């Protein structure tokens, strides 16, 4: 039976394993990751100290992207010692709190990790279509008789992701913004500009991956489908039309300020983007 894997934070209980009976040891989360990642890519591994009433020791929550991988890991690891002297108990979670039902987009780093696992390093590529400054005017605020100028810096980025072996091509747009406390400090301005550009590029890449569905077959092969439910009005524009709309600021920027799982702190933006992205103006 085929399973669909999305570029989103795993929200299903069938993708989550509860591991208990863990003995205190240095690098516990690393040991857990090494043991369970053999069954498929992991979203997260978190170890916690038992509550006082439960006695000494630790338990862990292991999240897979695939419920099939989680099920195989549970069957193989339950009752096994793995990396410690006593056997572990492993079960698939059956309950989920309401706040976990909110589905968030994976950040760009995790999107790339997932794409590399299922499609291979050369199975996909991405490039920047445009990266433009869409900052507005300076705001002036009066406070304690002093005029304070805070400059708002905004960049809008459009990215294209291509899966050549599957004939699928998607586009994403992302907005990065930050306030500059001292608009007269050139170092702060340059640092903030690079940070906002990286944020916009990362959000755009994540947005493009939201329109891709990975269909994992029983034989291990992967098919790629376009997720039309995530389609945006800008997807039907040509590159020149999209660049033109951004230049004259005729787009509603709020629609591109998508909510992701975490801040994109590791996104490299020196000479080129990670995974073969090429900067184009």
């Amino acid at each position: 039976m085929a399973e669909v894997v999305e570029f989103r934070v795993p929200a299903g209980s069938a993708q989550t394993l509860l591991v208990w009976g863990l003995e205190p040891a240095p690098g516990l989360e690393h040991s857990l990751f090494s043991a369970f990642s053999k069954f498929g890519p992991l979203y997260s591994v978190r170890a916690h100290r038992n509550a006082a009433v439960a006695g000494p020791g630790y338990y862990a929550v292991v999240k897979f992207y695939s419920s099939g991988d989680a099920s195989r890991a549970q069957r193989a690891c339950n009752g096994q010692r793995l990396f410690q002297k006593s056997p572990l108990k492993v079960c698939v979670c059956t309950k989920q709190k309401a706040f976990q039902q909110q589905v968030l987009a994976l950040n760009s780093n995790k999107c790339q990790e997932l794409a590399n696992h299922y499609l291979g390093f050369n199975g996909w590529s991405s490039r920047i279509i445009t990266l433009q400054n869409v900052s507005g005017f300076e705001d002036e605020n009066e406070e304690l008789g002093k005029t304070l100028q805070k400059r708002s810096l905004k960049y809008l980025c459009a990215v294209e992701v291509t899966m050549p072996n599957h004939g699928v091509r998607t586009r994403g747009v992302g907005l990065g913004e930050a306030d500059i406390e001292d608009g007269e400090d050139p170092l702060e301005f340059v640092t903030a500009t690079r940070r906002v550009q990286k944020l916009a590029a990362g959000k755009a890449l994540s947005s493009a991956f939201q329109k891709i569905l990975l269909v994992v077959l029983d034989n291990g092969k992967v098919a790629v489908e376009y997720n039309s439910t995530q389609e945006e009005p800008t997807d039907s524009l040509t590159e020149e039309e999209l660049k033109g709309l951004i230049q004259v600021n005729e787009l509603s920027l709020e629609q591109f300020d998508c909510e992701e799982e975490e801040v994109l702190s590791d996104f490299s933006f020196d000479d080129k983007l990670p995974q073969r992205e090429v900067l184009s103006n």
Side-chain angles (χ1 to χ4, degrees):
M1 183 177 180
E3 179 181 3
V4 176
V5 176
E6 299 182 79
F7 289 87
R8 293 171 176 260
V9 175
S13 57
Q15 298 159 293
T16 305
L17 297 183
L18 179 63
V19 184
W20 69 95
L22 290 166
E23 301 169 356
L28 181 56
E29 289 185 346
H30 176 75
S31 298
L32 286 163
F33 185 91
S34 297
F36 285 95
S37 61
K38 297 175 183 177
F39 300 93
L42 302 178
Y43 168 71
S44 66
V45 176
R46 296 289 183 268
H48 307 273
R49 188 185 300 274
N50 287 343
V53 294
Y58 286 76
Y59 71 94
V61 178
V62 179
K63 282 194 173 186
F64 286 82
Y65 292 102
S66 162
S67 59
D69 292 343
S71 178
R72 289 191 299 109
Q74 188 276 328
R75 293 194 302 268
C77 297
N78 185 37
Q80 301 299 313
R81 291 180 174 83
L82 297 183
F83 49 81
Q84 63 179 33
K85 295 180 180 179
S86 59
L88 297 172
K89 294 182 179 179
V90 183
C91 69
V92 177
C93 291
T94 56
K95 293 184 179 180
Q96 202 168 17
K97 295 181 180 179
F99 71 84
Q100 292 177 315
Q101 297 300 324
Q102 183 183 13
V103 179
L104 299 177
L106 288 178
N107 71 33
S108 61
N109 292 326
K110 285 193 168 70
C111 285
Q112 292 174 87
E113 291 175 2
L114 201 59
N116 287 339
H117 175 82
Y118 283 109
L119 303 175
F121 185 83
N122 295 318
W124 66 278
S125 63
S126 61
R127 67 183 181 91
I128 288 182
I129 298 172
T130 186
L131 176 64
Q132 297 188 26
N133 190 337
V134 292
S135 305
F137 297 101
E138 277 187 346
D139 293 325
E140 296 186 359
N141 299 312
E142 294 288 340
E143 184 177 333
L144 300 178
K146 296 181 180 180
T147 301
L148 300 177
Q149 291 188 342
K150 181 182 291 186
R151 185 171 183 177
S152 179
L153 191 62
K154 295 182 180 181
Y155 271 82
L156 198 65
C157 182
V159 167
E160 181 182 75
V161 173
T162 305
M163 280 77 173
N165 296 333
H166 301 273
V168 175
R169 187 187 305 268
T170 67
R171 182 190 293 170
V173 180
L175 175 69
E177 58 181 318
D179 290 330
I180 304 176
E181 296 296 335
D182 185 0
E184 302 300 321
D185 185 345
L187 179 60
E188 182 180 356
F189 178 78
V190 171
T191 302
T193 297
R194 290 179 61 82
R195 184 173 67 250
V196 171
Q197 288 176 339
K198 287 189 285 186
L199 181 60
K203 286 188 174 182
L205 184 60
S206 173
S207 174
F209 273 113
Q210 302 313 301
K211 300 162 188 174
I212 295 169
L213 298 175
L214 300 174
V215 182
V216 184
L217 307 177
D218 290 337
N219 59 8
K221 292 185 177 180
V222 178
V224 177
E225 294 184 0
Y226 178 75
N227 186 2
S228 59
T229 63
Q230 300 295 317
E231 193 169 26
E232 298 169 324
T234 53
D235 291 340
S236 60
L237 300 176
T238 65
E239 291 187 12
E240 293 304 318
E241 288 173 337
L242 179 59
K243 291 178 182 179
L245 284 178
I246 294 176
Q247 286 175 345
V248 298
N249 199 20
E250 289 189 2
L251 293 175
S252 174
L253 300 182
E254 288 76 11
Q255 65 179 306
F256 303 118
D257 192 15
C258 59
E259 187 171 6
E260 292 179 314
E261 53 168 328
E262 59 190 70
V263 176
L264 304 169
S265 58
D266 299 327
F267 200 83
S268 173
F269 196 78
D270 293 330
D271 297 322
K272 58 181 180 179
L273 296 174
Q275 313 300 350
R276 308 162 307 287
E277 283 115 338
V278 178
L279 177 63
S280 62
N281 294 316

